[in-house]
Amino acid sequence: MFNGSRLGGTLIVVLAALVPTCFAGWLVWQSLNGSGEPSEKTSAAPARSGEGNGEDAGDGEKRDGKPGGKSGGNGRHKEPPESEEPLTGMTVVLDPGHNPGNSEHVDKISRRVDIGTAKKECDTTGTATNSGYPEAKFTLDLARRARTALEARGARVKLTHEGDVPYGPCVDERARKGNEAKADAVVSLHADGAPSGSRGFHVILPASVREGEADTRRITAPSRRLGGDLRDAFREATGERPANYLGDGEGLDTRGDLGGLNLSKVPKVFLECGNMRDARDASRLTSAKWRTKAADGITRGIEAFLTANR
């Protein structure tokens, strides 16, 4: 039979014994951690990005101590992957060959300028396809596409002209623009005007010359490396073969009669992207889709050269 009176008395005795003990424990806890929130030494601040692997990136700073960019929601700076902008800090000059307005200023572009080894025309009109698509229009479009791709990789890109001047610039001024920019690489873009049946692309390298204002001795070796990287990347991106009408079929040609190369003080090459007078080459040069591939090849070639020579 249940005896409620006896049980109630037992509970009272137990509670009377426990209350002093609990009260003493509460006093000890309060003295150690008064407010009930985490103490300063045990702060729950988010771990910094380097923690756990022996590195410390710092709050809102990159590992090199420079101020960080935008922070994420946790207050930590998030650095982009190293491969995202591999050309940061590098300067590239693209030289779109000729100018759409040259044909209207023949008297001005025909004047002679000093290229060190000789005197040559300020510029020429360039060539065109049989259907009338001009080289100058092709090179300007290609340069703009390549600029976009290079800038996406972090490069600082300058064009020798935007088609916004009446004619030129002259070949000596084109070289000067690359020199003044202290470019890490310069690529002059062209398309050839060889007889039909002559197909393919090639890269023109500077010969070693020293005469007058021309002195390429310091740039011939790096220019050759630039040319080789550009040739390989362009071939891979476009599927085009090196020119079948000059050199040894390797796609590299060395010349000492071009003012844009002779007067350069920085690594520089010319890229002849194909033959506008050949119907099969012309069908590619006039294709916007193909020019996107070509711009990718140019970008990858320049990137290969610059990242190998950092």
Side-chain angles (χ1 to χ4, degrees):
M1 183 175 181
F2 181 77
N3 191 332
S5 175
R6 184 177 179 179
L7 179 60
T10 302
L11 289 172
I12 290 172
V13 172
V14 172
L15 289 173
L18 289 175
V19 166
T21 302
C22 293
F23 182 73
W26 179 81
L27 289 174
V28 172
W29 182 81
Q30 281 289 86
S31 66
L32 292 175
N33 197 22
S35 66
E37 297 292 335
S39 67
E40 289 183 3
K41 290 184 180 181
T42 58
S43 172
R48 290 178 292 188
S49 60
E51 292 179 357
N53 59 5
E55 298 176 356
D56 189 352
D59 292 331
E61 290 188 348
K62 297 182 180 179
R63 285 182 174 84
D64 60 5
K66 295 179 182 178
K70 295 181 180 179
S71 298
N74 59 5
R76 292 176 289 179
H77 173 70
K78 184 178 180 181
E79 293 180 339
E82 289 185 3
S83 60
E84 195 168 288
E85 293 186 347
L87 300 182
T88 298
M90 311 298 279
T91 298
V92 176
V93 171
L94 298 175
D95 177 28
H98 313 291
N99 184 317
N102 277 2
S103 59
E104 299 176 6
H105 298 87
V106 176
D107 58 330
K108 292 183 174 63
I109 65 170
S110 62
R111 68 182 179 87
R112 301 269 171 167
V113 297
D114 190 352
I115 67 166
T117 58
K119 288 192 175 182
K120 294 190 69 172
E121 294 89 348
C122 158
D123 202 1
T124 67
T125 60
T127 188
T129 65
N130 293 331
S131 62
Y133 180 64
E135 179 186 359
K137 184 176 180 179
F138 164 79
T139 60
L140 191 56
D141 178 79
L142 182 58
R144 288 168 174 165
R145 291 172 189 266
R147 174 175 59 187
T148 298
L150 286 163
E151 288 178 340
R153 285 164 165 78
R156 178 172 176 254
V157 184
K158 292 186 175 183
L159 270 57
T160 57
H161 73 98
E162 292 273 5
D164 54 354
V165 292
Y167 64 92
C170 295
V171 294
D172 56 342
E173 185 180 351
R174 290 171 186 265
R176 187 162 54 249
K177 285 176 179 288
N179 297 339
E180 290 174 349
K182 294 180 171 57
D184 297 289
V186 183
V187 176
S188 188
L189 301 173
H190 292 266
D192 214 351
S196 179
S198 302
R199 299 195 59 210
F201 75 94
H202 65 281
V203 180
I204 304 175
L205 313 174
S208 181
V209 298
R210 184 189 181 191
E211 188 175 345
E213 294 297 318
D215 187 353
T216 62
R217 292 172 298 170
R218 295 181 61 182
I219 69 164
T220 51
S223 295
R224 177 166 286 275
R225 293 195 296 272
L226 171 60
D229 288 335
L230 183 61
R231 173 201 58 191
D232 294 344
F234 191 84
R235 177 167 50 189
E236 182 178 357
T238 63
E240 297 298 313
R241 294 181 178 179
N244 62 7
Y245 59 96
L246 52 77
D248 56 4
E250 293 298 318
L252 299 177
D253 185 30
T254 301
R255 291 176 59 174
D257 64 330
L258 299 175
L261 296 180
N262 284 6
L263 300 175
S264 183
K265 307 300 181 186
V266 294
K268 182 175 181 178
V269 298
F270 278 40
L271 173 63
E272 296 280 0
C273 297
N275 180 17
M276 290 197 128
R277 308 300 289 184
D278 178 82
R280 286 183 292 179
D281 272 12
S283 68
R284 292 169 172 78
L285 298 170
T286 55
S287 165
K289 184 177 180 180
W290 185 90
R291 291 196 297 275
T292 297
K293 293 180 181 180
D296 180 62
I298 292 165
T299 300
R300 292 183 183 277
I302 293 173
E303 180 181 343
F305 169 72
L306 294 180
T307 53
N309 290 276
R310 270 192 178 275

